Amino acid sequence: MIEIKNISKSFNDRMVLDNVSGVFKKGETSLVIGASGTGKSVLLKCMLDLVRPEAGTTLYDGRDFYIGDEEDKKDIRREMGVLFQGGALFDSKTVHQNIQFPLDMLTEMGDGEKKDRVEFCLQRVGLEGTGNRMPSEISGGMKKRVGIARAIVMNPKYLFCDEPNSGLDPLTSIKIDELIKEITDEFEITTVVITHDMNSVLSIGDKIMFLHKGKKLWEGNSQAIMGDTVPELEEFVFCNKALSLMRAGK
Amino acid sequence: MLSVIGRYLIFLGKLFTRRESLKVYWKRFIDECIGIGVSSVFIVAIVAVFIGAVVCLQTRANLVSPIIPIYVVSNIVRDMTLLELSSTFMCVVLAGKVGSNIAGELGTMKITEQIDALEVMGINSASYLVLPKLLAAVFTFPLLAIISGFLGIFGGYLAGTLSGIITPEDYVYGIRYSFIPFNVFISIIKAFVFGFLISTISAFQGYNTRGGALEVGQASTSAVTNSCIAVLIADYLLAELLT
Ligand SMILES: Nc1ncnc2c1ncn2[C@@H]1O[C@H](COP(=O)(O)OP(=O)(O)OP(=O)(O)O)[C@@H](O)[C@H]1O
Ligand SMILES: [Mg+2]
C-alpha cells in the first residue's frame, strides 16, 4: 500500500500540485487521470523522490520515503519498478541488456539465471526474439513494452507506469493495459498508472484519482466515473465521442 | 558564478560518495578509455605533427641571425611541444572533442529520463556515469600527451629535414641540447589536471541539462567553452607553480 499525504509542489512560484493526498492499495491498479499539464508526472516524480515536494510525505507500507539518505531508501527502491513516459531505455544497451540491467546492478544472480529471467519478462510483454536489437531500432510501442519488462524484472512490490499507452494504436494499447492488470493481479502488486486514455479508465481502473490543475477533484471507481457530478471531470470523461453518444442515448 | 562553482563542487562530492561495486566500474572504465582515449589518438596525432612542423618552419623563418646556431630551431620546437603544445593545446582540442561528447551524452540521458531511471533503481547516477569517464580521462590524457609530445617533435623533424632548413644531425643535437627531463613530467601533470577539469566540467554541464534537444546543444557548447577557460586558467596557475 502506498499513501501520499498532503503533497504540494511548485516550480518558480507556480503551484503544480496543491495538497494532494490519496491511498493506492495492494493488488489494485490505481489510475491517476487528468488533462495534459495538470501535474500527473510531477506527482509520480514526487512519489519516487526524483522531485522533492515542499510539503507532504509518501509512505510505502508505512515507511516514510522522504526520511534518510539514498542509502536508507535503497531497500524501498529495490521494490519499485517504473515505466517512464518516454520509456527511458538506455540507448547504449541492447533490449536484453536493458532488461537485465537492474539484475546486474542490484542482485547477485548467476548469468544463466539472469538470462532466464530476462527471457521470461520479454515473453511476458510479447517481445520474444527482439533481445538483440538496440532501442533505436524498435518502435515506440515496443519501447514501452521493453520499459515494462525492465520495470517488472525485479519482481517489484510497487509498479508505476507513466502513460503506458500514449502514442500507441488502440489494439496495442489495450494489450498493454491488460498486461499491467494481469501482472498486478498475479503478483499482488501495488500499481499506479498515469493515463488520459478513457479506454484504460473504464477497463482496468480499480480505483481512479482525477487531478485538475494540481488539485485532486475526484476519486472513485470506473463505474462511478460515468455518473459523477464534478463538472471538470464530466468534461474530461465525455469529450470522448463514443461515451457522450452513449450518455445521450441512455 | 559562485553558486555555480558551489554546485560544481557538490557534484564532485557526489561522484565519490555511495559508489557501486568495483566490478561495475572496471568494465565502464575500459569502455570509457576506448571512447575517450583510443578514439582521440588520431586527432591528437594529426594536430601534434602539424603544429610541430609549423613551429619548426616558423622558428626558422624568424631566426635569420647568423650568430644563432641552427640547432636552436629544434631546441625551441622541443620546449614548445613539451611545455605547451602536447598538453595545453592538445587539451583545448580535446575539450572540443571529448567535452562536447560527454555533455551531449549525459544531457540526452537526462532529458530522456534515463538518469531518472538509474536513480529510481537506487543507483548513484552521477557516480555510475561520470566517475568512469573521469578516471578514463585522467588515465588516458597523460598517455595522449606523451604521444603528442613525441609526434610534435617528430613533425618538426619531418618539416625541417624535408624542406632542407636543418640537417637531421643538427635537429637531433638541438632536441638533446640542455634537455630538462622535468619538462616531460610537467606535460604529464598538466594533461592529468586538464583531463580532470574537462571531464568533470563537461559532465556537470550535461548532467544538469533541463528541457529538450535545444538545451542539450547549449550544454555541449558551454561544456566546451567552460572547459577551455578552465584549462587556460589552470595552465597559468600550473606555470606559476611548476616553473
Ligand atoms: N522540472 C520542472 N521545472 C519547471 N516546471 C515543471 C517541471 N516539471 C514539470 N513542470 C511543469 O509542471 C506542470 C505539470 O507537468 P506534468 O509533466 O506533471 O504534466 P502531466 O500531467 O504529466 O502532463 P502530460 O499528460 O502531458 O504528461 C507543467 O505545467 C510543467 O510545465
Ligand atoms: Mg506526464
Side-chain angles (χ1 to χ4, degrees):
Chain A
M1 187 175 73
I2 309 171
E3 282 169 273
I4 52 177
K5 288 189 176 160
N6 310 94
I7 291 194
S8 297
K9 172 76 198 166
S10 45
F11 288 110
N12 316 320
D13 297 335
R14 209 165 50 83
M15 202 75 161
V16 173
L17 291 175
D18 188 0
N19 206 9
V20 179
S21 304
V23 176
F24 305 105
K25 291 211 186 79
K26 190 173 164 178
E28 280 187 1
T29 314
S30 308
L31 305 188
V32 178
I33 61 172
S36 196
T38 44
K40 303 184 297 293
S41 296
V42 174
L43 179 64
L44 177 65
K45 288 196 174 151
C46 286
M47 292 171 71
L48 299 172
D49 200 21
L50 292 172
V51 169
R52 181 62 69 91
E54 279 100 42
T57 47
T58 302
L59 302 175
Y60 288 87
D61 289 312
R63 297 168 292 180
D64 191 329
F65 197 43
Y66 297 155
I67 292 179
D69 58 15
E70 283 293 328
E71 205 56 50
D72 302 324
K73 289 183 203 153
K74 243 181 166 158
D75 293 336
I76 304 183
R77 289 223 184 273
R78 265 163 217 251
E79 299 171 352
M80 293 177 168
V82 184
L83 167 68
F84 284 91
Q85 197 162 352
L89 303 182
F90 304 119
D91 303 316
S92 57
K93 298 187 185 321
T94 64
V95 165
H96 190 101
Q97 287 165 344
N98 258 288
I99 301 173
Q100 191 177 319
F101 184 77
L103 301 178
D104 288 339
M105 297 297 291
L106 307 172
T107 69
E108 302 292 322
M109 278 188 190
D111 285 343
E113 205 181 341
K114 283 189 216 166
K115 190 159 178 290
D116 290 345
R117 178 75 193 147
V118 173
E119 288 301 329
F120 170 78
C121 292
L122 267 176
Q123 174 250 322
R124 201 76 186 68
V125 297
L127 285 176
E128 304 92 327
T130 52
N132 290 327
R133 294 209 224 157
M134 298 303 286
S136 56
E137 297 166 357
I138 60 178
S139 74
M142 289 161 89
K143 278 186 198 152
K144 288 265 163 73
R145 286 191 273 170
V146 175
I148 294 180
R150 188 178 66 186
I152 61 174
V153 73
M154 294 276 291
N155 267 327
K157 275 169 79 176
Y158 315 104
L159 178 65
F160 303 89
C161 302
D162 194 348
E163 303 198 6
N165 44 24
S166 64
L168 302 185
D169 67 274
L171 191 64
T172 314
S173 137
I174 287 173
K175 277 195 191 139
I176 289 201
D177 280 346
E178 279 168 357
L179 173 68
I180 292 173
K181 177 106 182 121
E182 262 170 49
I183 296 170
T184 305
D185 293 345
E186 196 174 322
F187 302 106
E188 285 272 294
I189 305 176
T190 310
T191 302
V192 180
V193 178
I194 292 176
T195 185
H196 36 210
D197 184 46
M198 274 314 290
N199 248 326
S200 329
V201 172
L202 296 178
S203 55
I204 62 166
D206 291 322
K207 206 187 117 196
I208 299 153
M209 178 194 282
F210 175 65
L211 284 189
H212 183 73
K213 299 205 172 135
K215 288 199 175 67
K216 185 175 93 174
L217 283 193
W218 186 86
E219 199 171 18
N221 62 24
S222 54
Q223 280 88 45
I225 202 168
M226 303 292 285
D228 68 86
T229 48
V230 183
E232 287 88 353
L233 178 59
E234 212 161 312
E235 193 183 7
F236 181 84
V237 171
F238 293 103
C239 63
N240 182 311
K241 190 89 193 243
L243 289 178
S244 64
L245 283 177
M246 207 174 90
R247 184 166 67 160
K250 107 176 153 183
Chain B
M1 180 67 194
L2 271 180
S3 85
V4 172
I5 294 177
R7 284 197 296 130
Y8 171 68
L9 293 178
I10 292 172
F11 176 74
L12 288 186
K14 206 173 158 202
L15 296 186
F16 295 98
T17 46
R18 229 165 47 77
R19 292 182 305 268
E20 311 303 323
S21 73
L22 281 179
K23 202 178 111 230
V24 169
Y25 283 107
W26 177 246
K27 194 172 167 308
R28 296 257 307 120
F29 172 70
I30 299 294
D31 288 346
E32 295 295 347
C33 281
I34 294 170
I36 290 177
V38 178
S39 71
S40 299
V41 170
F42 181 69
I43 181 77
V44 163
I46 295 279
V47 169
V49 170
F50 276 89
I51 297 290
V54 169
V55 167
C56 177
L57 296 182
Q58 288 285 4
T59 312
R60 176 64 188 124
N62 290 297
L63 270 186
V64 279
S65 165
I67 16 168
I68 300 173
I70 190 71
Y71 65 77
V72 169
V73 171
S74 59
N75 199 265
I76 288 178
V77 171
R78 180 200 70 204
D79 282 348
M80 286 273 279
T81 305
L82 291 187
L83 288 177
E84 291 302 322
L85 300 179
S86 71
S87 47
T88 315
F89 196 85
M90 175 192 81
C91 284
V92 169
V93 171
L94 288 181
K97 182 182 179 292
V98 174
S100 62
N101 182 293
I102 291 179
E105 180 184 331
L106 291 177
T108 307
M109 291 190 76
K110 177 82 187 193
I111 63 162
T112 56
E113 298 177 319
Q114 294 176 47
I115 287 183
D116 286 345
L118 286 170
E119 288 289 328
V120 161
M121 292 173 200
I123 295 164
N124 179 351
S125 59
S127 162
Y128 174 76
L129 293 171
V130 180
L131 195 56
K133 289 188 196 296
L134 166 61
L135 295 177
V138 297
F139 177 67
T140 57
F141 275 32
L143 300 179
L144 289 171
I146 293 171
I147 296 176
S148 169
F150 172 77
L151 288 178
I153 293 172
F154 181 68
Y157 175 84
L158 281 185
T161 54
L162 291 180
S163 62
I165 58 177
I166 184 171
T167 62
E169 290 75 26
D170 277 339
Y171 193 90
V172 171
Y173 180 79
I175 57 176
R176 300 178 66 170
Y177 180 76
S178 74
F179 173 59
I180 309 167
F182 187 65
N183 285 352
V184 176
F185 181 67
I186 290 183
S187 172
I188 290 172
I189 290 282
K190 280 165 72 171
F192 179 88
V193 173
F194 298 163
F196 179 88
L197 289 173
I198 291 173
S199 57
T200 52
I201 290 175
S202 308
F204 175 70
Q205 294 287 348
Y207 193 81
N208 289 304
T209 309
R210 297 231 145 66
L214 193 66
E215 282 79 4
V216 175
Q218 284 165 357
S220 287
T221 311
S222 43
V224 176
T225 325
N226 295 344
S227 312
C228 281
I229 295 172
V231 163
L232 294 173
I233 293 174
D235 187 33
Y236 178 79
L237 295 179
L238 285 174
E240 291 268 309
L241 210 69
L242 295 175
T243 51

